[in-house]
Amino acid sequence: MAAESPLSIADRSACVTAQVRQSRLSLCSTGYRLQSVDSPTSTLVLRFDGQVFTETGSKVEDQQIVVVHAVVGIFKLEQHSYVLAVTDSHLQGTICGKDIYEVSGVCALPLDYDSGKIVFQELLQEQTTTASGDKSTAVPRKSYSTGDVAGLAAAQLENSSRVDMNDDLTGEAGFRWLSPQISWMFRPSKDSLVSGTEDGATGSSTPQTEREGSAVVETSSGVRKTSTSLERMERRVVEEIARVFSTSGMFYAFDYDLTRSLQAKDRQVIDGVSEPLACIADRDYWFNWHIQQPLLTGGGLAWALPLVQGSVQIGRCQISKDDVVQISVVSRRNWRRIGMRYERRGADTNGNVANFVETEQILELESKQESGQHVDVGAHPTHIASFVQTRGSMPFLWTQTGAGLHPAAVVAGTDDSNAATCAQHLQHEISRVGRQVLVSLVEHGGREAAVGTAYAGVVGRCVASEMVDARMVRYVPWDFHHETRGMRYENVQQLVEQLRGEISGMGYYWHAGNAPLTTQHGIFRVNCMDCLDRTNVVQSAIARAVFNEQLVRLGVHAAPELGLAAHPGLEPTLNRLWANNGDYISRQYAGTSAMKGDFTRTGRRNFGGMVNDATYSLARLWINTFRDYFSQAVLDFLVGNHAAAAVFRTLIDLRSREPDQVRQMASARETAVRTSVAIVVRDGERVQLACVVQSPMALDSLKIAAAADSVLILTDAAVYVCSYCDRQQKVSEFLRIGLSVLARVQYGAYITDTRTPQCLDPSRNHGVVLSFALAPDHHSSSPGYEFESSLAATQPFVSSADGEKLHFIACKVATEAQ
């Protein structure tokens, strides 16, 4: 979990060019070209065939140019690959004299000439209209535009070859056969493992009950319908990706590293950044790192611009005749366990926690008394001070389903596994930022008590077992709802006073002149259930106390005993920044603005704020029920947790999947294979192949009733099909077919689900049918026992060429999505 830069020390030697700020995008027959605005002889080439490389040379003139602010990344879906580019952004302000931007518009450009041309022309027309100032004919912004590629895809499929129903499934042709049914999936194979017949007896002798209602999608209209469905689903995915990057708080700078705090950057506060940000950015907070891999590996380092999801709020205030102060509140979200509210809770097995956000409050002071003449704040500030806090879900395994307004939370892991997970998280944070003061705001009773009590126990277990140094952790429980009941939110100050010693001892980063004067030692890690509303109130109160102490230390506080109220406008400015910060983080995790924002914004709790909170609660319930599952799947895809197929599957299943699920499934399947081989394979037989499949585990049937895994084993003497129980980790029953009695092996498409286009893809849905002539061995796996299994043979209906009656068993190759 250690924080890491995307490039090794050896690779950083290649960071000799500056960050590309803007590019002129043009379209050619082979791909897109992005020519640096600042350095016109440098060009990034993105070819339609997937190649990425840079060119240097003379400036290329092209009349059809679209100016893009940044390249977000490149991603591949089912039908197209896309280049995601920032087409619109606005200046949020400056920090240490460096411009900070927020993304407000993106465009997905298909890596295909025909469909890409449509999108490019839309961008060109929009930019031309905007430049001319004629808004009456402006094209409405469609940042998610992918062009009308549905018609193009249909036209291409209209001319594509189709496999006739009478064709044999041998070879690659068989995997192009589409059918929504499973009764006509298999044809005789000429190249079976054991010599078989070449006639089509399987199809003709299939029982009528299995053939009724079957429909093969082989007509042009049928193919077009499937393509249109896939195109519609893909367009929805692209729209959601565009929404994530254009409306959920994505920030960037060309010469300021937003992924790290001022203390972590240290000398860069003064020296600035002279190399591409990809060389120095902290990968944990580089949101688009995964989809920028083609740029990082293809020589496009200078175009790889890190985006940070979170919030950047900047305000200025004149606190005296000679002193102007600028306050910035910068939040950066860790993407390792990115997600939506009820979709991601707690920690994963690597110690990454949900909604983990590092928030930095930055003070910049420019004093006329010191500089001799007044200079705008941010250009060359006399003093820079920074204070960092973190928030994040309680670092152990727990879940909370979004059923109703107040669903119960459940502890998922064992005491040992939760302690190990928590220790892993705390050790990482201690190595990164120092001592952890864990402020837990969850209720001590009621629906939150179970996880709150578990958190205290897990931290205590980590310390008691010396998994974490006791000197580096302090746990502070404070029941926010109980202490502030009756709208007495002023009681939050009691918690601040309780933490006063920690605040003074922790300190803050202070930089003046050419060197830091003080550094921050340790950090407040604050949490509630969501780490949103209560957390933002408490973090803003702690930050306000630190800010007051900084002003006193800098010698510009008019009346320290009055606090921030001594300077008109200062406290409202700080409150507004923290309230906006809370709204950004809340919208990213829960879909609405933060609750209790009235207190953060004004310092007072009122009835109107309570009404707003009730509205937000209902909105969060609706969003969690109808949107979060899909948003979660898209986020997991963007950060590399899931493949594109999982996003499409989510549109049908209406549920997302944990990133750990794929790893756990792979581990469980490895165990299933090893266990099955050890139990069923006879002594002296050599295993040639073993893999996980799905099987009806019934003779003479193609219908798979349950999705449980089976194991197919091929040895030099027999074929085994085993029914495996994951819970008990044992083989419940198996079928052994000696190679001497194996009459035929058929292979081809095996379609068991028609709900998504991926389910109809033969390259992902294929299997084998094993036909045998003699009665096989039936055994139970129970040690010391042997009895007839449930694989009772029905009346054989598969016939060989010489009229011999055959039985068969079917096996479908299992994939991650199945």
Side-chain angles (χ1 to χ4, degrees):
M1 281 185 55
E4 52 186 336
S5 173
L7 301 178
S8 65
I9 296 177
D11 292 332
R12 293 188 189 187
S13 61
C15 299
V16 294
T17 59
Q19 183 73 47
V20 171
R21 292 176 174 267
Q22 287 185 328
S23 298
R24 297 183 178 93
L25 173 69
S26 60
L27 174 68
C28 61
S29 60
T30 58
Y32 299 103
R33 298 173 62 85
L34 290 103
Q35 188 179 79
S36 171
V37 172
D38 295 332
S39 179
T41 58
S42 299
T43 303
L44 176 67
V45 180
L46 306 174
R47 291 174 58 95
F48 295 140
D49 60 8
Q51 295 186 54
V52 178
F53 56 90
T54 56
E55 291 181 348
T56 57
S58 58
K59 178 180 177 181
V60 179
E61 297 293 345
D62 194 324
Q63 292 182 351
Q64 292 192 324
I65 293 293
V66 174
V67 176
V68 297
H69 299 256
V71 179
V72 177
I74 300 173
F75 60 92
K76 177 177 175 56
L77 297 179
E78 293 296 317
Q79 290 197 327
H80 297 281
S81 293
Y82 297 85
V83 178
L84 194 66
V86 177
T87 57
D88 196 10
S89 61
H90 62 267
L91 180 66
Q92 190 75 356
T94 63
I95 299 178
C96 298
K98 311 300 181 184
D99 292 338
I100 312 297
Y101 299 90
E102 181 178 5
V103 176
S104 53
V106 297
C107 180
L109 297 154
L111 280 171
D112 170 82
Y113 181 78
D114 292 328
S115 51
K117 183 178 181 180
I118 297 173
V119 180
F120 183 80
Q121 290 298 328
E122 289 181 356
L123 284 176
L124 186 65
Q125 181 182 355
E126 180 182 350
Q127 189 160 299
T128 302
T129 304
T130 304
S132 65
D134 183 9
K135 298 184 179 180
S136 61
T137 59
V139 179
R141 171 165 294 280
K142 294 169 60 178
S143 60
Y144 53 83
S145 176
T146 62
D148 185 18
V149 296
L152 293 170
Q156 294 170 357
L157 287 168
E158 181 71 28
N159 298 323
S160 64
S161 60
R162 297 192 301 274
V163 180
D164 189 85
M165 281 295 296
N166 294 320
D167 287 347
D168 192 274
L169 286 178
T170 304
E172 295 181 357
F175 294 103
R176 294 200 300 268
W177 178 29
L178 287 176
S179 172
Q181 301 294 329
I182 65 173
S183 58
W184 289 22
M185 287 298 98
F186 303 100
R187 296 289 177 179
S189 171
K190 297 178 181 178
D191 298 321
S192 59
L193 295 178
V194 178
S195 177
T197 64
E198 296 183 6
D199 65 301
T202 302
S204 61
S205 58
T206 303
Q208 185 67 25
T209 54
E210 293 200 22
R211 295 184 58 179
E212 289 179 353
S214 63
V216 179
V217 183
E218 62 164 352
T219 63
S220 59
S221 61
V223 173
R224 186 181 300 112
K225 182 177 180 180
T226 300
S227 173
T228 302
S229 175
L230 180 59
E231 185 66 37
R232 185 168 56 251
M233 295 171 71
E234 180 154 319
R235 185 171 298 181
R236 184 177 175 187
V237 174
V238 174
E239 289 177 359
E240 179 65 17
I241 291 174
R243 187 195 68 81
V244 168
F245 282 99
S246 60
T247 65
S248 60
M250 293 291 174
F251 297 87
Y252 68 90
F254 294 114
D255 50 5
Y256 183 87
D257 182 10
L258 281 172
T259 67
R260 295 183 295 158
S261 66
L262 291 178
Q263 181 166 318
K265 289 191 285 278
D266 198 15
R267 284 299 308 172
Q268 290 176 4
V269 175
I270 297 300
D271 299 339
V273 178
S274 59
E275 56 189 343
L277 291 170
C279 300
I280 58 176
D282 185 343
R283 188 184 299 180
D284 287 347
Y285 299 98
W286 180 349
F287 184 87
N288 57 326
W289 176 83
H290 177 70
I291 60 175
Q292 286 203 333
Q293 290 308 295
L295 300 181
L296 298 175
T297 58
L301 196 66
W303 279 265
L305 184 65
L307 299 184
V308 171
Q309 186 184 44
S311 173
V312 176
Q313 303 298 320
I314 302 174
R316 297 180 58 182
C317 187
Q318 182 91 32
I319 59 175
S320 69
K321 180 180 178 181
D322 298 322
D323 300 310
V324 178
V325 66
Q326 174 173 294
I327 315 165
S328 303
V329 178
V330 179
S331 286
R332 48 189 75 92
R333 178 185 296 276
N334 188 307
W335 60 262
R336 297 289 183 180
R337 188 166 168 75
I338 195 73
M340 308 304 295
R341 189 184 181 204
Y342 288 128
E343 299 292 331
R344 292 294 177 268
R345 292 296 213 194
D348 62 20
T349 54
N350 294 319
N352 302 304
V353 301
N355 199 26
F356 190 77
V357 181
E358 179 181 278
T359 301
E360 179 181 19
Q361 179 177 276
I362 302 172
L363 179 154
E364 298 178 58
L365 174 69
E366 178 61 36
S367 176
K368 182 177 179 181
Q369 294 176 341
E370 295 188 29
S371 61
Q373 59 180 358
H374 187 73
V375 182
D376 285 343
V377 170
H380 299 285
T382 306
H383 297 276
I384 305 172
S386 157
F387 181 72
V388 178
Q389 303 178 75
T390 59
R391 69 176 75 188
S393 194
M394 289 173 279
F396 59 94
L397 307 178
W398 63 281
T399 61
Q400 188 176 23
T401 58
L405 285 174
H406 303 294
V410 178
V411 178
T414 64
D415 291 344
D416 290 340
S417 64
N418 283 332
T421 299
C422 181
Q424 194 172 2
H425 174 76
L426 294 178
Q427 287 168 357
H428 173 255
E429 289 304 299
I430 290 171
S431 66
R432 192 177 71 90
V433 292
R435 184 171 181 267
Q436 302 286 300
V437 180
L438 311 177
V439 181
S440 178
L441 307 177
V442 299
E443 298 172 357
H444 295 170
R447 61 188 178 87
E448 298 179 359
V451 288
T453 302
Y455 186 22
V458 165
V459 173
R461 191 181 184 92
C462 290
V463 172
S465 60
E466 299 183 350
M467 301 170 72
V468 177
D469 189 342
R471 296 169 299 178
M472 302 302 292
V473 176
R474 179 189 173 189
Y475 180 76
V476 181
W478 200 76
D479 188 336
F480 185 97
H481 286 158
H482 175 76
E483 298 294 340
T484 62
R485 63 190 183 280
M487 294 199 299
R488 294 181 299 174
Y489 278 65
E490 64 276 6
N491 288 349
V492 172
Q493 190 60 33
Q494 297 177 5
L495 174 61
V496 175
E497 292 303 321
Q498 181 180 338
L499 300 173
R500 183 67 66 180
E502 295 285 358
I503 294 174
S504 300
M506 192 175 294
Y508 47 85
Y509 178 79
W510 178 15
H511 194 288
N514 294 320
L517 301 180
T518 63
T519 57
Q520 182 175 339
H521 302 282
I523 205 165
F524 288 104
R525 186 196 188 279
V526 186
N527 75 272
C528 50
M529 291 295 287
D530 298 328
C531 304
L532 296 177
D533 315 315
R534 289 172 278 180
T535 296
N536 201 66
V537 169
V538 169
Q539 283 195 335
S540 65
I542 295 173
R544 188 180 296 107
V546 173
F547 187 74
N548 188 69
E549 185 175 314
Q550 289 170 339
L551 292 180
V552 173
R553 187 78 175 269
L554 292 172
V556 296
H557 212 319
E561 67 280 359
L562 297 178
L564 301 184
H567 303 283
L570 184 58
E571 188 168 24
T573 298
L574 188 63
N575 291 344
R576 174 176 54 84
L577 298 182
W578 272 97
N580 292 343
N581 175 77
D583 287 343
Y584 266 81
I585 296 174
S586 181
R587 285 193 291 267
Q588 291 158 9
Y589 188 56
T592 72
S593 296
M595 298 183 187
K596 304 173 178 63
D598 55 325
F599 178 78
T600 307
R601 200 174 296 275
T602 66
R604 294 184 300 274
R605 189 71 163 132
N606 54 55
F607 180 75
M610 295 181 65
V611 173
N612 286 338
D613 288 356
T615 303
Y616 292 153
S617 291
L618 293 174
R620 288 179 179 181
L621 175 63
W622 187 93
I623 290 170
N624 174 76
T625 303
F626 297 105
R627 197 188 75 183
D628 277 359
Y629 66 90
F630 180 58
S631 299
Q632 182 64 58
V634 170
L635 288 173
D636 281 330
F637 166 71
L638 288 173
V639 301
N641 289 335
H642 290 317
V647 184
F648 287 80
R649 169 66 66 175
T650 300
L651 290 172
I652 303 301
D653 292 349
L654 305 184
R655 65 184 179 90
S656 64
R657 291 166 172 79
E658 282 275 4
D660 282 347
Q661 182 177 352
V662 174
R663 291 188 291 269
Q664 292 170 357
M665 180 183 294
S667 176
R669 286 178 168 175
E670 289 178 5
T671 302
V673 170
R674 289 195 302 267
T675 303
S676 299
V677 169
I679 291 176
V680 305
V681 174
R682 295 183 178 179
D683 294 340
E685 294 183 11
R686 297 181 59 185
V687 176
Q688 307 294 326
L689 171 69
C691 63
V692 174
V693 297
Q694 291 178 347
S695 173
M697 289 308 295
L699 296 182
D700 310 327
S701 175
L702 293 171
K703 184 177 181 180
I704 299 178
D709 286 341
S710 300
V711 177
L712 176 66
I713 305 170
L714 172 64
T715 71
D716 54 5
V719 177
Y720 297 84
V721 182
C722 311
S723 177
Y724 184 80
C725 179
D726 285 320
R727 286 187 177 180
Q728 299 179 352
Q729 293 190 347
K730 71 174 187 178
V731 176
S732 57
E733 58 185 357
F734 69 91
L735 172 70
R736 181 182 187 275
I737 306 172
L739 295 185
S740 61
V741 300
L742 190 62
R744 183 163 57 214
V745 176
Q746 300 159 277
Y747 61 92
Y750 195 166
I751 308 297
T752 58
D753 190 350
T754 62
R755 292 178 297 173
T756 67
Q758 291 80 9
C759 295
L760 297 173
D761 184 355
S763 66
R764 300 178 180 180
N765 300 270
H766 54 275
V768 296
V769 168
L770 307 173
S771 301
F772 49 91
L774 301 178
D777 300 328
H778 293 92
H779 293 286
S780 167
S781 64
S782 302
Y785 293 90
E786 185 172 312
F787 56 89
E788 185 176 351
S789 75
S790 62
L791 295 182
T794 59
Q795 181 65 31
F797 60 85
V798 180
S799 300
S800 63
D802 56 5
E804 185 180 20
K805 299 298 184 180
L806 302 178
H807 294 290
F808 73 84
I809 187 165
C811 298
K812 179 180 180 180
V813 176
T815 65
E816 286 183 357
Q818 296 170 337

